[in-house]
Amino acid sequence: MTRKTRLTRYALAAALAGGLLTGCTSDDESLTYQTDYSNHRPLKVVGYPSTGSLQTVQAAVWRLADGDVSGLAELAVDDTHANATARNWVKAFGPAAEGDVTADFYDEGSVRQVVVLYFAKSGQIKEIEARRGREDDSWGLTLAEPDPAEVTAKPTWAPSKPGHSGSRTVGAASGN
C-alpha cells in the first residue's frame, strides 16, 4: 500500500469517526477537502490570505495537479472564459503543480487578493486573482485568459522567489 493510499484511508477513517462521535456525518464539501488534502502536496503559503482566498487557491492548485479542467473552471467567478482559461492553465501548469507550489498572497484579502504561484518543479511563476463572487459571496478565481500566451506570461512586478517583497499596498503606503 502506498503512502498516498494510507493517508487517504486515514483521512477517510478520521472523517467517519468524527461524524459518528458527533452523531452526524461530514458534509460532502468537508469530505472532499479532506480527501483532496491527503492526496496532494501541501501548499506553501507566504503572506496573509483570508480563509476564502486560501481555500480557493489551494483547490486551484489541486485541480491543476489533477489535470481537472472542469473542476478548475468551476472555481471561476465569471464563466465567460472559464473553460478556455482552465484548459490553458492545466496545460501550462498542471505537471508543475504536482510538485512543490508556494502561494504568495498580496494585499488585504477581505474582497479580493492577488496571489503569485511559484512552481518549484518548473520554475514557473503565475499571478492569479482570488475574489468573492458577485452572487453568493463565495470565493472564486478570475479565469479570464483564453489566450495561451497570456496564461504563461510572467508578472513583471513579482519577485523571482516567494516572500521577497511585501504587499504592494503596504509597500506603496510605507514608501518601500
Side-chain angles (χ1 to χ4, degrees), residues 7-96:
L7 289 173
T8 301
R9 287 185 178 175
Y10 290 140
L12 291 173
L16 179 61
L20 292 174
L21 290 173
T22 61
C24 60
T25 60
S26 297
D27 63 3
D28 288 343
E29 188 175 316
S30 176
L31 184 58
T32 298
Y33 181 84
Q34 290 173 4
T35 302
D36 275 343
Y37 188 85
S38 65
N39 286 334
H40 297 90
R41 288 181 177 266
L43 181 68
K44 296 177 182 180
V45 176
V46 177
Y48 301 98
S50 69
T51 301
S53 65
L54 177 59
Q55 288 176 344
T56 301
V57 170
Q58 179 68 82
V61 172
W62 290 338
R63 300 303 160 256
L64 287 171
D66 293 343
D68 184 358
V69 172
S70 62
L72 183 59
E74 288 175 7
L75 295 173
V77 291
D78 179 1
D79 63 359
T80 303
H81 298 289
N83 288 324
T85 301
R87 226 179 351 269
N88 291 335
W89 282 18
V90 166
K91 184 177 179 182
F93 304 106

Side-chain angles (χ1 to χ4, degrees), residues 115-135:
V115 182
V116 179
L117 299 177
Y118 294 86
F119 298 92
K121 187 175 179 179
S122 66
Q124 293 170 293
I125 300 172
K126 175 68 181 154
E127 175 185 354
I128 64 174
E129 180 186 68
R131 65 182 178 93
R132 288 182 184 248
R134 293 185 185 126
E135 296 174 18

